[in-house]
């Protein structure tokens, strides 16, 4: 529900908040409440919107996002939205955890082995980075292959589908359309359905603005068409 200050100051915004955003969008069945929370949290971190984080961090936990998953989303988004945005989210998360009685022992890494490398796509992806990036920025190429994909993406504290959910949301929020096609394709290979991708974009229209959502639509259309007979859940076709 819209806070009283919104109802008293901008009543039309309060009406849209209550009737459309929370009364309709959040209730749509094509994306689970837990997924909507991951999408929303990712958009807020990407935009540095700390004043909105407290409510949505709590909502995410209520919707089934585990505390360790929330911390992992913040960690993951440091790479995709920048360290300053992630660091700004840390203080908010700390306050939320303290008020809910979530201590450091509940936030420790699970200690499992890294997720396995997908040998059908990772060598091709790594070679693509080597060819495109190494001649210009060799250190960036090394960090991309050695840290981003061979370490961060393999951390077991967050499922690959959820990492894709967070990444796609952050890219749309940041209007990074050049990177979006690859990560939409990767997300569908990680288990996102076409209907869920469409719903992510729709949801983000409210949290990142219509222009960002509309810009993502033709990219998604291209990815859907390129996957074609490969179907949902098949390996990515892009590099």
């Amino acid at each position: 529900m819209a806070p009283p200050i919104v109802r008293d100051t901008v009543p039309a915004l309060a009406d849209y908040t209550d009737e459309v955003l929370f009364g309709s969008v959040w209730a749509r069945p094509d994306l689970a409440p837990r997924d909507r929370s991951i999408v929303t949290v990712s958009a807020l971190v990407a935009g540095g919107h700390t004043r909105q984080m407290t409510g949505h961090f709590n909502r995410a936990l209520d919707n089934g996002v585990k505390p360790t998953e929330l911390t992992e989303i913040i960690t993951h988004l440091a790479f995709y939205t920048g360290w300053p945005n992630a660091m700004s989210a840390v203080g908010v998360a700390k306050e939320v955890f303290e008020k809910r009685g979530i201590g450091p022992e509940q936030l420790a890494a699970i200690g499992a082995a890294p997720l396995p490398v997908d040998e059908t796509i990772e060598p091709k992806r790594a070679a693509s980075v080597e060819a495109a990036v190494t001649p210009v920025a060799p250190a960036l190429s090394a960090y991309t292959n050695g840290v981003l994909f061979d370490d961060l993406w393999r951390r077991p504290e967050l499922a690959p589908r959820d990492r894709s959910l967070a990444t796609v949301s952050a890219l749309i929020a940041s209007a990074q359309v050049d990177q979006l096609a690859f990560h939409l394709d990767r997300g569908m290979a990680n288990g996102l359905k076409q209907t869920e991708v469409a719903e992510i974009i729709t949801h983000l229209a409210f949290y990142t603005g219509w222009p960002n959502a509309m810009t993502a639509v033709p990219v998604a259309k291209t990815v859907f068409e390129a996957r074609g007979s490969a179907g949902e859940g098949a390996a990515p076709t892009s590099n």
Side-chain angles (χ1 to χ4, degrees):
M1 300 291 287
I5 187 175
V6 179
R7 174 67 57 191
D8 294 341
T9 310
V10 190
L13 177 59
D15 289 341
Y16 284 125
T17 300
D18 293 347
E19 297 171 13
V20 181
L21 180 57
F22 288 104
S24 175
V25 176
W26 274 88
R28 288 174 57 82
D30 290 328
L31 197 63
R34 178 182 178 277
D35 290 343
R36 289 190 187 276
S37 280
I38 292 176
V39 169
T40 307
V41 163
S42 300
L44 294 178
V45 174
H49 300 301
T50 55
R51 293 186 66 178
Q52 298 292 313
M53 287 179 191
T54 299
H56 281 290
F57 283 5
N58 275 300
R59 189 181 184 94
L61 294 168
D62 292 341
N63 282 339
V65 177
K66 298 175 183 177
T68 51
E69 293 174 329
L70 183 56
T71 63
E72 198 66 21
I73 290 168
I74 294 171
T75 302
H76 185 88
L77 292 178
F79 288 82
Y80 283 94
T81 74
W83 248 249
N85 284 338
M87 289 296 189
S88 295
V90 170
V92 182
K94 181 176 185 294
E95 292 178 359
V96 169
F97 292 155
E98 287 177 347
K99 288 182 178 179
R100 296 177 74 109
I102 299 169
E105 69 282 355
Q106 296 171 265
L107 302 174
I110 64 176
L115 299 176
V117 173
D118 188 338
E119 296 295 346
T120 64
I121 62 173
E122 278 304 293
K124 184 179 179 181
R125 184 210 55 73
S128 176
V129 170
E130 286 280 347
V133 182
T134 299
V136 179
L140 176 60
S141 176
Y143 285 129
T144 300
N145 284 333
V147 179
L148 182 62
F149 284 100
D150 197 37
D151 186 349
L152 182 72
W153 274 89
R154 296 179 63 197
R155 287 174 58 83
E157 285 78 13
L158 193 65
R161 178 186 177 278
D162 292 341
R163 289 193 187 276
S164 285
L165 197 60
T167 306
V168 166
S169 300
L171 292 176
I172 294 173
S174 305
Q176 298 289 343
V177 292
D178 287 346
Q179 299 293 312
L180 185 56
F182 169 78
H183 280 288
L184 280 174
D185 200 30
R186 186 182 183 93
M188 294 182 74
N190 284 337
L192 290 176
K193 299 176 182 177
Q194 181 170 320
T195 53
E196 291 173 329
V197 171
E199 200 65 23
I200 291 165
I201 297 171
T202 303
H203 188 92
L204 286 173
F206 290 83
Y207 284 94
T208 72
W210 248 250
N212 284 348
M214 288 297 192
T215 300
V217 168
V219 181
K221 181 176 185 289
T222 298
V223 171
F224 295 162
E225 291 174 347
R227 293 183 69 82
S229 60
E232 295 173 344
T237 56
S238 56
N239 295 330

